[in-house]
Amino acid sequence: MSKKLYRSRKDRKITGVCGGIAEYFDCDSTLIRLAWALLICAFGTGVLAYILAAIIVPEE
């Protein structure tokens, strides 16, 4: 059975993107949220990537 990426319904702060990515890679969602924050602060691309992921990735 293959894994699929979904937005999380249980582990969500805004739209569940970080929680879904954490479930997919089987890691802590706090680490994913920190990575998003670093992308936003360092390059500014994290905001656009998060919005696109919230639109494209289906909900669980």
Side-chain angles (χ1 to χ4, degrees):
M1 189 168 151
S2 65
K3 295 193 307 185
K4 293 200 175 212
L5 178 62
Y6 293 107
R7 289 186 289 141
S8 177
R9 286 185 161 189
K10 300 173 289 219
D11 187 14
R12 66 171 26 181
K13 297 294 180 192
I14 299 174
T15 61
V17 173
C18 293
I21 292 172
E23 288 176 13
Y24 183 80
F25 289 112
D26 194 31
C27 65
D28 189 25
S29 61
T30 305
L31 296 174
I32 304 297
R33 289 185 181 102
L34 285 172
W36 281 109
L38 288 174
L39 281 174
I40 290 169
C41 292
F43 305 110
T45 59
V47 175
L48 180 62
Y50 191 89
I51 292 170
L52 286 174
I55 293 170
I56 294 171
V57 177
E59 192 167 8
E60 186 175 41

